[in-house]
Amino acid sequence: MSDALQLHVDAAVCQGHGRCYALAPGLFAADDVDGHAVLRVAGPVPEHLLDAARRAEAACPERAIRLLPAAPGAE
Amino acid sequence: MSIDLEWLTRRFDPIDQARLQDPYPLYRELRERCPVAHSDAHMGGFWVLSRYEDVRRVALDAETFASGPGIAIPPLGNPLPMIPLEVDPPDHEPLRRLVSPAFAPARMRPVEASARSCARQLVDAFAARGECDLVTELAYRLPVLTIWQRPLLGEPLTEGLGDWVATFQSWVHDFKHSQGRSAEAGATILAYVERVLDARRAEPADDIPSTLLNAEVAGRPLTREEQLGYLFILFTAGVETTAAALGSIFLFLAREPEVRARLAAEPELLDPAIEELLRFLGPVQAERRTATRDVEVGGCPIRAGESVLLLWNSAGRDEAEFADGETFVPDRFPNRHLSFGLGPHRCVGSHLARLTLRAAIQEVLERLPDYRVRDGAELRFSVGTNRSLVSLPVVFTPE
């Protein structure tokens, strides 16, 4: 899976707007502190959730979410 | 209406009631002609930022653009700094974390059920009449009812206040909108939140006032002033903003029956549509920040100590960020609106605000499907930090 993609949430940038877990509840959850985003999927994003991942990345007002090539060796 | 460009670009006044009844054409003009304007209307002058990118950049950089010196132009007259909004990094974050868990999505589930039931009861009170004022009877009442419960502000002390919901509304409205009586209303609210703290000291509960009484930052308890400054903003901030949003939304839906019918027919559209309503009709007009160092914004040098005014709702219509920004698109995507702010001071109550908006809008769509503005009704916005419709008389088929 050389073209696998992985989600990253920059915790220092996330302010808990909650757009990601509203749009992609399979990928993101809210933490208990301020509704900050918590990733529910470690490693490569499964094929069927890629579109949701892209939407969450595009929707974040803080630009805290990045969908990037998965680290080598990640399954 | 012709636009007074001289006023707009040199003397812009965020509390000009006549000129800002419909601010959107003015904002557009500002974005296009003079995105970093300077006004001498208050406080020895201030900069006026109208573009999304400039507003965003300032909001994100809370160290360079401080809110400690105050968040309104002209100043509101709060007796104490509002915490944590008027606190800057690095002190801000630990203060915010004292209360933010009470507003986290997981804790909002019971509040959501209760908001819906409160909305239903409020509509019950007028549904058989065939007419009502959607601002004073619903928009201003529901946000008071939803925040004054556990785990938020808890049980209100209502003795001697008569219609306590209406009393709270009027205090908050006077504080936010009556330049002359703002300090007086601020003192009344302060005295009330002192009583709430005393009551919770005597009888602790699962609510924010009790949390503040026991809270520590940097290994020390909060001072009495900090507790009061915190409760003060929770008393005032969410109630008036959510109410102002609902007033604008109900007026918009009255004028756009096709949008209303579509929202009623497609419930799954409601959540994205609420984000779009927030972008299109955000309640917070303008907020101040103060430069802590010499800096440049949009090519203009701003000196340390100078004030800038962020026009949130102008940012919300900026076509550099939003295609067809002046058009309402219920399922707009992406929709990175700034109506809850951005960066460290983002609205801590946004999840509460959304569920309150949803409860009120759903109730109106279901119960008053054919409401319209009463003929001859005077539709006036009170304009300041927020832009709030004062009254919205409507008629509809009685239940």
Side-chain angles (χ1 to χ4, degrees):
Chain A
M1 288 242 323
S2 58
D3 54 352
L5 296 172
Q6 189 170 348
L7 280 166
H8 301 262
V9 177
D10 186 336
V13 174
C14 172
Q15 296 290 348
H17 291 252
R19 307 299 295 281
C20 55
Y21 44 82
L23 284 166
L27 291 169
F28 301 90
D31 77 6
D32 293 337
V33 177
D34 199 0
H36 284 220
V38 180
L39 272 175
R40 300 183 64 181
V41 175
V45 177
E47 189 78 23
H48 69 285
L49 292 175
L50 270 177
D51 188 48
R54 288 196 186 93
R55 286 176 65 80
E57 180 188 36
C60 178
E62 306 280 352
R63 274 82 150 171
I65 298 171
R66 290 277 181 273
L67 187 62
L68 299 170
E75 288 301 321
Chain B
M1 196 184 83
S2 73
I3 291 173
D4 180 348
L5 284 176
E6 164 73 11
W7 176 84
L8 187 64
T9 59
R10 303 177 73 116
R11 293 198 308 280
F12 181 85
D13 180 353
I15 60 167
D16 188 315
Q17 303 301 311
R19 285 186 170 91
L20 292 173
Q21 285 299 304
D22 176 10
Y24 295 108
L26 304 180
Y27 291 164
R28 181 185 193 94
E29 206 66 28
L30 269 179
R31 286 194 304 276
E32 286 173 2
R33 286 177 187 256
C34 195
V36 184
H38 192 270
S39 169
D40 58 10
H42 296 282
M43 307 174 64
F46 56 92
W47 299 93
V48 181
L49 305 185
S50 48
R51 283 189 177 165
Y52 184 98
E53 204 43 52
D54 294 336
V55 170
R56 172 175 188 270
R57 180 254 168 122
V58 168
L60 286 176
D61 187 357
E63 279 163 14
T64 306
F65 296 96
S67 61
I71 53 94
I73 295 177
L76 280 171
N78 40 307
L80 295 168
M82 292 192 276
I83 295 176
L85 178 55
E86 293 181 328
V87 179
D88 295 310
D91 299 333
H92 166 265
E93 178 66 14
L95 284 165
R96 179 176 166 115
R97 279 179 176 251
L98 298 177
V99 156
S100 54
F103 292 96
R107 298 215 72 185
M108 288 298 110
R109 274 170 216 130
V111 179
E112 178 152 30
S114 134
R116 194 66 211 269
S117 120
C118 290
R120 189 169 306 130
Q121 287 171 36
L122 290 170
V123 173
D124 284 344
F126 54 70
R129 291 207 318 256
E131 57 82 26
C132 73
D133 187 325
L134 278 179
V135 163
T136 59
E137 293 184 76
L138 180 59
Y140 267 89
R141 300 187 77 91
L142 187 61
V144 177
L145 294 170
T146 53
I147 200 165
W148 283 95
Q149 60 175 314
R150 295 172 191 172
L152 304 173
L153 295 183
E155 286 286 307
L157 307 174
T158 59
E159 205 183 313
L161 293 182
D163 180 348
W164 64 276
V165 181
T167 303
F168 284 16
Q169 296 166 14
S170 69
W171 291 349
V172 173
H173 188 272
D174 285 354
F175 172 64
K176 291 254 176 150
H177 290 280
S178 307
Q179 289 305 315
R181 294 196 309 278
S182 178
E184 192 186 318
T188 304
I189 294 168
L190 181 65
Y192 181 80
V193 297
E194 286 207 77
R195 282 178 52 212
V196 172
L197 272 185
D198 291 341
R200 299 302 194 270
R201 194 188 309 276
E203 207 174 321
D206 173 22
D207 58 24
I208 291 171
S210 306
T211 301
L212 292 174
L213 283 167
N214 297 311
E216 289 191 1
V217 277
R220 61 160 180 89
L222 287 190
T223 65
R224 175 88 169 168
E225 289 211 337
E226 286 169 332
Q227 294 165 353
L228 292 171
Y230 220 132
L231 273 190
F232 188 94
I233 190 171
L234 293 172
F235 191 105
T236 56
V239 167
E240 155 79 16
T241 44
T242 311
L246 281 174
S248 294
I249 288 169
F250 290 144
L251 176 59
F252 173 75
L253 293 177
R255 288 171 168 169
E256 302 285 342
E258 280 173 28
V259 173
R260 193 180 352 163
R262 203 175 154 203
L263 293 184
E266 299 173 53
E268 72 285 356
L269 195 57
L270 195 55
D271 283 344
I274 285 174
E275 299 306 322
E276 177 69 345
L277 289 163
L278 284 165
R279 176 192 76 83
F280 199 64
L281 302 165
V284 184
Q285 288 299 292
E287 264 188 280
R288 172 190 170 204
R289 297 289 188 267
T290 303
T292 58
R293 59 178 174 86
D294 291 354
V295 64
E296 204 177 283
V297 177
C300 288
I302 292 178
R303 270 185 248 125
E306 291 183 333
S307 296
V308 298
L309 190 68
L310 308 181
L311 295 179
W312 294 108
N313 278 359
S314 176
R317 303 266 180 130
D318 189 340
E319 304 209 325
E321 169 67 18
F322 303 103
D324 294 321
E326 304 277 3
T327 306
F328 179 81
V329 181
D331 53 356
R332 175 181 292 278
F333 187 86
N335 187 351
R336 296 181 292 200
H337 68 75
L338 308 182
S339 295
F340 289 120
L342 198 74
H345 295 293
R346 180 194 72 90
C347 172
V348 75
S350 63
H351 307 288
L352 173 67
R354 284 192 181 110
L355 72 86
T356 306
L357 297 177
R358 195 186 308 120
I361 295 168
Q362 277 180 326
E363 201 62 23
V364 166
L365 290 174
E366 284 172 23
R367 308 275 300 275
L368 318 175
D370 64 350
Y371 81 92
R372 60 179 178 80
V373 179
R374 189 198 293 156
D375 294 339
E378 187 205 1
L379 300 174
R380 187 173 64 79
F381 286 88
S382 183
V383 184
T385 300
N386 294 349
R387 176 167 174 269
S388 315
L389 190 59
V390 174
S391 169
L392 180 59
V394 300
V395 292
F396 49 86
T397 306
E399 273 184 357

